């Protein structure tokens, strides 16, 4: 899964991930440091890693709950920091 943080958005690809499978997030930033934080469908923070320009940091997680996961920025990065919200879905594999 490729992740990039920028002022003030996240780009993530793909937007749907398979459940019960180890996922590697390759996380970078296009401008300043951001904090990539993942919240599960119950709103619990389940993982985070720094998003830094010029670096790719990886985070490996396995999702056992299907549903909508939210991404928030955990590092203050400017005026619209709070708008850095994105999401992806976890689904059972066919
Ligand atoms: Cu931020």
């Amino acid at each position: 899964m490729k992740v990039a943080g920028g002022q003030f958005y996240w780009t993530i690809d793909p937007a749907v991930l398979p459940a019960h499978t180890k996922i590697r997030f390759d996380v970078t930033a296009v401008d300043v440091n951001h904090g990539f934080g993942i919240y599960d469908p119950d709103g619990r923070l389940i993982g985070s890693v720094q998003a830094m320009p010029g670096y790719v940091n990886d985070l490996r997680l396995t999702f056992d709950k299907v549903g909508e996961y939210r991404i928030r920025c955990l590092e203050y990065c400017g005026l619209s920091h709070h708008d850095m919200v994105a999401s992806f879905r976890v689904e059972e594999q066919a």
Side-chain angles (χ1 to χ4, degrees), residues 34-47:
H34 298 279
F36 176 71
I38 301 178
Y39 293 80
D40 77 3
D42 299 323
R44 278 193 213 101
L45 180 64
I46 55 167

Side-chain angles (χ1 to χ4, degrees), residues 8 33-35 73-78 81-82 84:
F8 295 97
N33 281 4
H34 298 279
C73 185
L74 302 180
E75 176 152 331
Y76 184 76
C77 57
H81 162 71
H82 55 273
M84 286 188 67

